[in-house]
Amino acid sequence: MLGLMQNWPLTVDKILDHAAKWHGDVEIVTRSVEGPIVRTTYAEAHTRAKRISNALKGLGIKSGDRVATLAWNTGRHLEAWYGIMGIGAVCHTLNPRLFAEQLCYIINHAEDQIIFTDLTFLPVLAEHRAKMPSVKHVVVMTDAAHMDDSVYPGALCFETLVADNGADCEWGGFDENTAAGLCYTSGTTGNPKGVLYSHRSNFLHTLVTLGADVMGFSAADVLLPVVPMFHANAWGMAFSAPAVGAKLVMPGAKLDGASIHELLESEGVTFSAAVPTVWQMLLTELREKQAKLSTLKRVVIGGSAVPEAIVRGFRDEFGVDVTHAWGMTEMSPMGTLASPNQATLGLDAEGQLRLKLKQGRVPLGVDMKIEDDADQELPHDGKTFGRLKVQGPFVAAEYFKGDGGQILDEAGYFDTGDVATIDPDGFMQITDRAKDVIKSGGEWISTIEIENLAVGHPKASLCAVIGAAHPKWDERPVLLVKLKDGESASKQDFLEFLEGKIAKWWTPDDVVFVDDIPLGATGKIDKKLIRERMKDYVLPTAVAKKVSA
Ligand code: AMP
């Protein structure tokens, strides 16, 4: 027997319809790419997005066609998203931090027909134009006054399209399982693979992320998504902000500490989300200027493990609560958040802080398990670590065009490629990426744990740990340290700093000081490149072993 409730397909166009109808006057504030602060409202964004839908139809875009965006977080970018998705086309977010070759690969693989872009990225697109045969039009998200036809001859102007098209356009009306968005993974192993979100998966992700234990913001909040719309959907905030009618502040191209701080203060931001490096820059800026955060209450930090110093800094110096989150492109992206539960309520401030450093618990809509290499499920004892697998209605079932083949196990779980523990209270902690974990004498050593401790050394700016070949133990850890400007330190300083904080056999066999620790396109330490750079490196302990053997 079927239920007798209304059939109301979960399509994301309904989110902006709702925002326009019930929160129509709420502002979307943008630091525009051209410079000035620009203000619109949900009602205006709704109308403008519909005009973009009509423009797309006029340019021949049909349901299922891929339309890309290569852009900063701005009001226009948001309008483009809804304009594309509202008519059943697929919004493909391109990450401008990728190398041009990778961008071309992704554009060709997705067969993008139109690219919406900012003035910033127009020269790159122009340079590689010949390598993107599927792209019929480029739309520059600016006004006529800023168009320069010599950069990309024939490019279209966003504001001209808005002005020239009517706002009367039917949105939705299709199956909720219709594809809505496409985002490629970072491609640290092989070519990037496409994750194809559906309207239903985005809608459900939105509802789940609004839970009090997840992002938990409300209509009374002012949000500043520093997390880019081009990486893991800005953690869903372009959907969840209009869904509740929160004021939205878009930072545009300026993501440095000073610019973010200015917006936080001038717009009364209460909630923000970003990767740790952004917050590190902001904290440095605030300390240098002895500035305050007068309205910010809560930040969600994820994308890579949050260092303890950031959580303490926000809490003790600025009274801002940090929630640590974990997720991935394949999960839309939210997976877990370190919000307290009944079991942890009684913890003192230090206990709460330890908990915040874990990646956290799953909300309804995500399930997880840890398994060993023989697919045997491991206990939730907070110590045993294994491959982390996840399942849920907003987790990828396969990659676009079948790349990578079958990606789910027999029980329908997706292997995240992360290695983690789960404690008896349900808190998951990432100990490594499966491909980075160091296998020493048959046991695993967590590179992330050593890195997080080492970076707490007052002279360290950035730390990375990789495994180096060892004749007896297979692999042993090497700590790479980039010191803060003007600092000097010895190998011994760092080894002594780690002493007592990690098991003795986890102690790095060597400390190497480097000028640069490379970060990948999504701000994570690029271990693949580090391993490449260190390919001729020989551990001092391995040499000693060879000599004595
Ligand atoms: P992406 O798909 O680019 O967002 O990358 C997802 C990956 O980033 C995850 O599989 C993790 O390896 C890593 N990651 C995300 N959040 C965290 C976190 N809070 N702590 C540690 N690693 C994280």
Side-chain angles (χ1 to χ4, degrees), residues 186 231-232 301-306 324-330 359 416 418 430 433 448 522 524:
S186 336
H231 180 213
I301 308 187
S304 52
V306 59
H324 189 189
W326 166 86
M328 59 196 312
T329 307
E330 287 89 336
Q359 276 72 11
T416 61
D418 286 326
I430 301 278
R433 287 293 291 166
I448 292 185
T522 53
K524 298 182 222 297

Side-chain angles (χ1 to χ4, degrees), residues 171-231:
W171 269 359
F174 39 75
D175 190 302
E176 64 186 23
N177 289 301
T178 302
L182 178 64
C183 183
Y184 281 70
T185 59
S186 336
T188 41
T189 46
N191 277 326
K193 297 185 214 41
V195 179
L196 191 62
Y197 309 102
S198 67
H199 280 262
R200 175 187 149 84
S201 70
N202 279 342
F203 204 106
L204 291 175
H205 182 263
T206 304
L207 296 181
V208 170
T209 57
L210 286 170
D213 281 351
V214 192
M215 303 280 252
F217 45 74
S218 74
D221 276 305
V222 180
L223 314 183
L224 193 159
V226 185
V227 282
M229 292 166 74
F230 58 73
H231 180 213

Side-chain angles (χ1 to χ4, degrees), residues 146-166:
H146 288 87
M147 287 297 286
D148 177 356
D149 206 46
S150 68
V151 183
Y152 194 110
L156 303 171
C157 168
F158 189 91
E159 288 302 330
T160 307
L161 291 182
V162 168
D164 289 353
N165 284 274

Side-chain angles (χ1 to χ4, degrees), residues 459-463 480-484 512 514-517:
K459 291 182 175 173
S461 153
L462 215 53
C463 293
L480 280 80
V481 179
K482 182 187 168 197
L483 291 169
K484 286 182 182 155
V512 178
V514 290
D515 296 333
D516 167 45
I517 290 192

Side-chain angles (χ1 to χ4, degrees), residues 188 431-438 445-452 463-467 478-480 517-521 523-535:
T188 41
T431 53
D432 236 317
R433 287 293 291 166
K435 58 183 184 306
D436 295 336
V437 73
I438 297 174
I445 296 176
S446 158
T447 61
I448 292 185
E449 206 168 319
I450 308 176
E451 281 161 10
N452 285 346
C463 293
V465 173
I466 57 162
V478 185
L479 170 65
L480 280 80
I517 290 192
L519 301 178
K524 298 182 222 297
I525 293 175
D526 188 344
K527 297 231 175 138
K528 196 171 145 199
L529 185 55
I530 294 181
R531 281 193 284 264
E532 234 167 79
R533 286 183 185 173
M534 298 281 287
K535 66 179 189 310

